[in-house]
Amino acid sequence: MTAALTPDRRRFLTAGAAVLGAAASAQLWLPATARAAETPLPDGVFTLGIASGDPLPDGIVLWTRLAPDPLGGGGMPDAVFSVDWEIAEDERFRKTVRRGTTEARPEYGHSVHVDVRGLRPDRPYWYRFRAGGQLSPTGRTRTAPHPHRKGGSLRVALASCQNWQHGYFTPYADMLAQDPDFVLFVGDYIYESKPSAAAVRRHEGSDEPYTLVQYRNRYAQYRTDPDLAAMHANTPWVVTFDDHEVDNDWAGEIPQDPDKQSHDAFVARLTAAFQAYYEHMPVRATAIPNGPHIQMYRRLEFGRLARLNVLDTRQFRTDQATTQDGAESPSMTMLGAQQKQWLLDGLHDSPARWNLIASQIMMAETDLLLGEGKLWYYDAWDGYQAERNALLEEFAGIRNPVVLSGDRHLTMISDLKEDFADPDSDVVGAEFVGTSISSNGDQDQAAFHAQWDPLKADNPHWKVIDAHRGYHLFDIDRDGIDAQVRIVDTVVKPQATASTLARLRVESDEPGVQVV
Ligand SMILES: [Fe+2]
């Protein structure tokens, strides 16, 4: 550390103490770990780029990972290396405002997480790392607005579901041009599927990842997508995971196929998957996993304009129902008691105009049965009827709840009804299910509409449904949210043309969403 010992620096040291403590205890059982001074640094350590995330009014997380052989376990010696970092108010680093030195440790895959504090609210910053004589690319990031700020505007990009094998991540090139204040990524950052010869791009390795090294290689491969890397380098991200960061449709400590993975084997898999997730994401030390557990649900504040509640709908849920009656059982929980109370408290005591809820999976109803009766997807909130319905009843007393979801690989934009069983019940909020970056590839739109349009009569709360790849872009101010569904014409080629498929508006204090 070379910064002066200001109050801000003391705060940073306190925040970093937990990381150092965890690292120190890990080192006890790693006697072979050498110090950097004894071991030369390999060439080309910044292959995975840089990232930033979880903006605060005075802080940001800066990330990198030293990996000269990114798809081969990283390629770093089993030693601790010093990494210098600096953050400036200008692109040329003439006005550096904070700098320091941190450690890249082998037990964290030589990843680096710096929780910088002492910054000014609502402004851009530039940052970079130096290890040995090697300089990282320069990144750009942005802090959150001052906590008391009531006005202003916020531009948010909602993304999810980037399957390497289904296509190139072309929507990020357009997202970069739209220059959002932050990217909200709601899950399926990687897919755990085996390599497929028929894929647009083939997954690395020879099987699904199970071990820490295998998950590291999979994340490293995804980070080599140039559009994804550029999006991370230019904008802070707020991330959470869904199922494919571990195993399709997992629930708590239950894998997709319990016949194929014992409980012990799946707990080991969760441990490896969460460790690799932490190592590759720009998140705070609160997200350092504790074995098969990781703390991801959290809140971020954007002045008095928006409060963002980021949910974890995987770790604490009961196993999926298999019947309609099962989905209605009061014993089913999506959030677990503790997270549910945390969410309700955060909604009811919110000082914010907009109460955003990042939910990995869709909250509005999808009735798949034409005509009389209902048929639901049991992995989504529809499979957890009692808890979902209780939450929607609470929404009636919350200011401007807006749910931002993924998982479905479709754009589905809906009014949220207080009771989906009663067509006359009140609209209590809005939901945007933000299609996918590449998952499902280039779909046949005519075939999609032939299959899904007939279901609109059974789902009158749907405002827009669509099967293009892309993301949603939100311009939020005190009066309303202007939303755009941004789509690309292809993900099977590295370059694409982007356009706006639909524009929507959510008026403040008028629940629901309107097509403009
Ligand atoms: Fe997905």
Side-chain angles (χ1 to χ4, degrees):
M1 293 270 182
T2 52
L5 197 60
T6 62
D8 291 315
R9 174 164 144 71
R10 279 199 292 275
R11 206 160 51 193
F12 169 66
L13 285 171
T14 308
V19 193
L20 294 172
S25 59
Q27 199 182 13
L28 293 176
W29 48 265
L30 284 168
T33 301
R35 299 299 303 178
E38 304 158 15
T39 314
L41 184 71
D43 290 336
V45 294
F46 290 111
T47 57
L48 298 179
I50 50 176
S52 67
D54 277 18
L56 301 175
D58 67 340
I60 196 79
V61 177
L62 306 181
W63 174 94
T64 192
R65 180 181 162 222
L66 310 184
D69 183 11
L71 273 59
M76 287 290 287
D78 186 18
V80 179
F81 290 88
S82 293
V83 178
D84 299 327
W85 58 270
E86 64 179 317
I87 186 164
E89 292 188 349
D90 67 304
E91 203 166 354
R92 295 182 177 182
F93 293 87
R94 287 183 179 142
K95 291 186 190 169
T96 293
V97 291
R98 287 285 184 278
R99 61 160 61 94
T101 302
T102 188
E103 289 184 332
R105 305 188 64 91
E107 59 270 30
Y108 287 105
H110 293 97
S111 63
V112 169
H113 297 76
V114 182
D115 192 352
V116 183
R117 302 296 172 98
L119 305 178
R120 292 197 285 151
D122 202 18
R123 60 152 297 142
Y125 283 95
W126 286 263
Y127 63 95
R128 62 187 177 189
F129 299 92
R130 190 189 300 268
Q134 300 175 46
L135 195 61
S136 78
T138 292
R140 188 191 61 159
T141 189
R142 189 171 187 90
T143 48
H146 190 278
H148 296 152
R149 185 169 179 188
K150 288 184 173 174
S153 63
L154 194 61
R155 174 167 266 208
V156 183
L158 170 67
S160 64
C161 296
Q162 49 189 31
N163 191 320
W164 178 270
Q165 298 203 129
H166 289 186
Y168 297 88
F169 303 156
T170 58
Y172 287 127
D174 177 66
M175 189 190 288
L176 186 64
Q178 300 293 336
D179 197 21
D181 293 314
F182 69 93
V183 177
L184 175 61
F185 191 92
V186 294
D188 291 357
Y189 190 96
I190 59 163
Y191 281 74
E192 85 289 17
S193 47
K194 294 176 184 175
S196 163
V200 176
R201 300 189 287 185
R202 191 171 177 158
H203 271 152
E204 55 69 48
S206 56
D207 197 357
E208 293 189 14
Y210 294 92
T211 67
L212 177 55
V213 169
Q214 289 170 337
Y215 277 107
R216 282 175 178 162
N217 291 345
R218 187 58 62 89
Y219 279 98
Q221 182 181 37
Y222 275 59
R223 278 289 170 85
T224 62
D225 181 281
D227 291 321
L228 176 62
M231 203 62 227
H232 274 298
N234 282 283
T235 307
W237 286 45
V238 175
V239 300
T240 185
F241 55 79
D242 192 19
D243 54 336
H244 288 285
E245 284 85 350
V246 182
D247 182 31
N248 184 41
D249 283 357
W250 65 280
E253 292 186 354
I254 303 166
Q256 179 182 26
D257 302 308
D259 299 345
K260 294 181 186 163
Q261 294 175 73
S262 70
H263 180 259
D264 285 354
F266 189 64
V267 167
R269 190 178 194 184
L270 282 169
T271 303
F274 290 158
Q275 176 73 21
Y277 187 76
Y278 169 73
E279 289 175 358
H280 291 85
M281 294 297 144
V283 289
R284 295 209 152 74
T286 49
I288 292 175
N290 176 17
H293 307 288
I294 186 169
Q295 176 64 44
M296 283 306 290
Y297 70 81
R298 63 202 189 280
R299 260 191 277 284
L300 290 154
E301 314 282 350
F302 297 88
R304 302 286 284 271
L305 185 62
R307 166 172 278 191
L308 174 61
N309 302 275
V310 181
L311 300 186
D312 174 345
T313 58
R314 286 288 158 192
Q315 273 192 98
F316 309 105
R317 65 157 79 192
T318 41
D319 200 13
Q320 289 90 348
T322 53
T323 63
Q324 291 294 109
D325 284 348
E328 293 189 288
S329 165
S331 67
M332 299 289 287
T333 182
M334 179 68 87
L335 301 176
Q338 203 175 336
Q339 182 181 194
K340 185 181 166 192
Q341 194 57 51
W342 166 89
L343 175 61
L344 291 176
D345 291 347
L347 292 171
H348 284 295
D349 73 9
S350 173
R353 167 80 51 145
W354 298 96
N355 286 290
L356 310 177
I357 299 166
S359 166
Q360 292 75 25
I361 38 89
M362 183 164 168
M363 191 173 283
E365 182 171 270
T366 302
D367 176 10
L368 295 160
L369 194 63
L370 280 168
E372 277 294 295
K374 300 214 187 229
L375 178 62
W376 297 312
Y377 280 124
Y378 302 130
D379 186 58
W381 278 97
D382 269 345
Y384 298 76
Q385 289 275 318
E387 191 165 295
R388 194 272 311 273
N389 294 348
L391 192 54
L392 290 174
E393 276 181 35
E394 298 276 350
F395 277 11
I398 307 296
R399 191 165 197 196
N400 293 324
V402 177
V403 179
L404 306 172
S405 311
D407 174 58
R408 190 53 65 80
H409 306 172
L410 296 172
T411 282
M412 299 189 89
I413 300 171
S414 305
D415 284 341
L416 290 171
K417 307 272 286 183
E418 187 166 4
D419 178 5
F420 283 105
D422 173 9
D424 296 326
S425 80
D426 289 342
V427 174
V428 292
E431 181 180 44
F432 294 81
V433 178
T435 186
S436 67
I437 292 294
S438 70
S439 301
N440 283 21
D442 291 350
Q443 270 186 261
D444 179 336
Q445 302 301 316
F448 164 77
H449 284 289
Q451 181 187 350
W452 284 79
D453 285 359
L455 290 167
K456 285 178 175 175
D458 295 87
N459 298 274
H461 47 279
W462 291 350
K463 297 298 179 77
V464 175
I465 57 170
D466 182 76
H468 285 88
R469 306 287 71 88
Y471 68 98
H472 294 184
L473 187 67
F474 305 98
D475 287 300
I476 306 171
D477 66 20
R478 281 166 60 82
D479 300 329
I481 299 179
D482 285 316
Q484 295 181 58
V485 178
R486 293 290 293 174
I487 60 167
V488 292
D489 60 345
T490 186
V491 294
V492 304
K493 291 185 286 188
Q495 265 93 40
T497 302
S499 59
T500 295
L501 175 94
R503 292 178 185 272
L504 299 102
R505 171 94 177 159
V506 183
E507 293 288 346
S508 179
D509 299 323
E510 288 178 30
V513 54
Q514 309 300 329
V515 178
V516 176

